Amino acid sequence: MTAHLALIRRHPIKSVGGEGLEHVTLQAARRLPGDREWAVLTEAGERHAVASQTDGQPDRWLPKSCFLRGVVSADLQAVTGGWSEGRLTLSHPRHGSLSLDPETEGARLIDWLRPLWPQGAPAPSRLVRGAAIWTDQKWPWLSILSLDSLRDLETRTGQLLGTHRWRGNLWIEGWAPFAERELIGQVIRIGAVELRIAAHVGRCDATSANTDTGQPDIDMVAALDRLYGHTDFGVFAEVVTGGQLRLQDQVSA
């Protein structure tokens, strides 16, 4: 099978929902447009935001500990949805749906998320946009994952794990399982776009949650370590030469 681009995924709000795309235009040294554009601050994260904000919005990258994250609440992993007719439309299997304009209705999102967030954790405070894209790393990277690696992991664990729990951007099909681990430092091409593979994606307990239920169904970190001798899944990449990506674009390494 010729390796090709099988899925493009974007997550407009960090740790909350996600959507599939048929195409996207990438720019050199930039992240995937609109991915993690918004994030929900916690009360504990506010002190970092207040120290680095302009007109009420953070004006620089903030660490992931400032925000709502799936590693703290498995229920967040079950939120689905993205942009629809100019609004963000989100859904949870036990908590219903919400449609909002993030520019003006952030408070509605906070109210909707409160029941999905542990009472003992710092409470969600506000939806922010700011100058940064709220990926876990401050570098302008996107993530590349392999459907073939996922199938190998599913076979070895005896579970259907799916793509959503990994919250990746680009999914490739047609590589040998975990061949992406050997690409660190190399430049690959997807269609006309060139990307430099920068680092492994280390995984946390957020990936232990079943995205259909919002409940843990595996100790993913332990499973990766036991089966492969590491706790990585996927790689980070930096765009070297921009251009448009489309589903089914061929991949060469």
Side-chain angles (χ1 to χ4, degrees):
M1 178 190 296
T2 302
H4 62 276
L5 180 60
L7 295 170
I8 304 170
R9 296 285 300 175
R10 178 172 67 184
H11 311 86
I13 304 175
K14 181 180 182 66
S15 301
V16 181
E19 60 186 355
L21 304 175
E22 293 186 0
H23 57 84
V24 67
T25 299
L26 301 180
Q27 297 183 41
R30 297 289 184 90
R31 298 175 176 89
L32 191 144
D35 187 55
R36 280 84 167 182
E37 182 177 5
W38 301 85
V40 179
L41 274 170
T42 67
E43 291 177 349
E46 282 286 358
R47 65 177 180 271
H48 297 280
V50 170
S52 59
Q53 67 181 18
T54 302
D55 296 329
Q57 292 286 349
D59 58 13
R60 68 198 68 179
W61 181 86
L62 297 174
K64 60 186 178 181
S65 58
C66 293
F67 304 106
L68 263 63
R69 294 178 293 145
V71 70
V72 179
S73 171
D75 251 334
L76 291 183
Q77 290 285 81
V79 178
T80 59
W83 289 103
S84 177
E85 298 181 350
R87 295 175 67 82
L88 285 175
T89 300
L90 305 172
S91 182
H92 185 275
R94 299 186 308 280
H95 191 51
S97 299
L98 175 72
S99 176
L100 75 149
D101 177 354
E103 294 278 5
T104 60
E105 297 179 294
R108 292 185 60 226
L109 176 64
I110 300 304
D111 290 341
W112 189 76
L113 290 170
R114 287 187 194 281
L116 302 178
W117 190 245
Q119 290 188 356
S125 59
R126 59 184 169 120
L127 182 65
V128 294
R129 192 178 200 175
I133 292 180
W134 304 119
T135 49
D136 287 353
Q137 296 75 28
K138 64 173 62 177
W139 317 114
W141 293 345
L142 50 78
S143 57
I144 299 177
L145 287 75
S146 164
L147 287 178
D148 304 280
S149 300
L150 177 61
R151 292 190 188 105
D152 188 80
L153 177 59
E154 289 179 332
T155 298
R156 293 179 182 229
T157 59
Q159 291 183 230
L160 288 176
L161 302 170
T163 58
H164 291 2
R165 74 175 71 207
W166 308 98
R167 302 186 69 77
N169 295 135
L170 308 179
W171 284 85
I172 308 302
E173 186 171 25
W175 281 340
F178 291 92
E180 63 275 15
R181 290 186 57 79
E182 308 305 318
L183 297 175
I184 304 299
Q186 297 185 37
V187 174
I188 70 169
R189 181 183 291 269
I190 306 178
V193 174
E194 292 181 319
L195 304 108
R196 181 182 63 84
I197 308 302
H200 300 294
V201 181
R203 293 300 175 173
C204 69
D205 285 338
T207 56
S208 297
N210 184 312
T211 53
D212 291 331
T213 66
Q215 301 298 314
D217 64 355
I218 187 174
D219 185 337
M220 187 64 73
V221 174
L224 288 169
D225 188 42
R226 172 174 54 85
L227 294 170
Y228 302 105
H230 58 77
T231 57
D232 306 324
F233 192 84
V235 291
F236 289 115
E238 180 180 4
V239 180
V240 176
T241 302
Q244 187 173 77
L245 291 181
R246 289 188 174 276
L247 295 179
Q248 305 304 315
D249 278 350
Q250 292 192 3
V251 179
S252 59

